[in-house]
Amino acid sequence: MNRLFGTGKPKAPKPTLDDAIASTEARVSAFDVRIKRFEGELAGFRDKMQKMRDGPGKDAIKKRAMAVLRQKKMCEAQRDQLMQQSFNMESAILATENIKNTMTTMQAMQDANKTMKKQYKNVDIDKIYEMQDDMEELLEQANEVQELMGRSYNLPDDIDEHDLEAELDALGDDLNFEEDVPSYLNDAMPAMPELLPEAPQGPTQQPADSRPGDLARAEPALRM
């Protein structure tokens, strides 16, 4: 079949916005070059016209300058159109990228929604409530066990609180508590001896001899 009818020519790839923008910018650059050339020619014509007197020669140069100025204006208008086209294409690219980002976000959110639905199918709310109730009952049982373990034994049940308070008040009146030393230490401590009176500060005086006069006079004789 291919030998009889031949094969079709391969299709060229479709141009993209980026390709179109690059081509448009190249054309804008070409117009800029032409506009600068026209500006140089106009500057030369102006210098010549300033040096020439009025007459046919000056009028001819003026006509040529007017023609160059028209071409310059046409190039500027086409350049502005191309620049606007490039701006529109760039805006289209930005809008396309925004749409792609939006679609990607939506797809990600849909996937997350599906995953959450699958996971929540495995979650039973009733079981969670039952577990919470079981935990509450277990905690109550644990508190009850603690109270039972801390119960006191061999205590009469008919003790009145008022009687206990009255007995405590009476016990406080009978006992004489000291601030620093307990009573049993006070009983065990011996009594401190009384201090002797202090000696007088002045010179000591010999006490007068109180013996009888005859005995005092006879004592030296006995010694001899």
Side-chain angles (χ1 to χ4, degrees):
M1 295 294 291
N2 292 334
R3 292 179 181 178
L4 294 176
F5 299 101
T7 58
K9 294 182 179 179
K11 294 181 179 180
K14 295 181 179 181
T16 61
L17 286 175
D18 294 331
D19 297 336
I21 291 173
S23 176
T24 303
E25 289 179 351
R27 293 176 64 187
V28 169
S29 299
F31 277 112
D32 287 335
V33 173
R34 293 180 65 183
I35 290 169
K36 287 182 180 179
R37 188 185 68 186
F38 291 146
E39 289 177 351
E41 292 179 1
L42 289 172
F45 290 147
R46 183 185 59 194
D47 294 338
K48 289 181 181 180
M49 289 173 63
Q50 289 177 353
K51 296 177 182 179
M52 294 176 67
R53 295 180 180 180
D54 294 339
K58 187 175 181 179
D59 292 338
I61 293 176
K62 186 177 181 180
K63 288 181 181 179
R64 291 175 60 185
M66 293 294 291
V68 173
L69 184 59
R70 289 191 187 94
Q71 291 180 355
K72 177 177 176 292
K73 292 293 183 182
M74 291 176 60
C75 289
E76 287 177 350
Q78 292 180 1
R79 183 195 63 182
D80 293 340
Q81 289 180 358
L82 291 173
M83 291 176 67
Q84 185 63 39
Q85 291 177 8
S86 177
F87 175 77
N88 293 336
M89 287 186 289
E90 288 177 355
S91 299
I93 289 176
L94 291 175
T96 304
E97 290 179 354
N98 290 333
I99 292 173
K100 289 180 180 179
N101 292 333
T102 303
M103 295 300 296
T104 302
T105 304
M106 289 180 60
Q107 186 64 38
M109 292 178 67
Q110 289 178 356
D111 295 340
N113 192 13
K114 291 179 181 178
T115 304
M116 290 176 66
K117 286 181 178 179
K118 289 180 181 179
Q119 291 178 352
Y120 274 112
K121 285 181 180 179
N122 299 326
V123 176
D124 191 352
I125 301 297
D126 295 332
K127 289 184 179 180
I128 295 175
Y129 280 119
E130 291 178 0
M131 181 183 67
Q132 293 292 335
D133 294 338
D134 293 340
M135 289 294 295
E136 186 176 0
E137 291 179 359
L138 290 172
L139 290 174
E140 290 179 356
Q141 291 179 4
N143 292 331
E144 187 176 357
V145 169
Q146 293 296 328
E147 291 179 358
L148 290 174
M149 296 298 294
R151 179 183 292 181
S152 300
Y153 299 98
N154 296 328
L155 288 179
D157 297 333
D158 56 350
I159 297 178
D160 190 1
E161 235 181 88
H162 297 288
D163 295 339
L164 291 175
E165 291 180 359
E167 186 176 352
L168 183 61
D169 294 337
L171 185 61
D173 294 336
D174 294 339
L175 295 177
N176 293 323
F177 296 100
E178 294 186 2
E179 294 182 358
D180 297 330
V181 183
S183 59
Y184 64 89
L185 291 179
N186 287 332
D187 296 336
M189 291 175 62
M192 296 294 294
E194 295 182 358
L195 296 177
L196 296 175
E198 295 181 358
Q201 297 294 332
T204 55
Q205 297 179 358
Q206 294 290 334
D209 197 352
S210 59
R211 291 175 294 178
D214 297 336
L215 183 58
R217 288 190 299 267
E219 186 175 356
L222 293 174
R223 290 177 180 175
M224 292 178 65

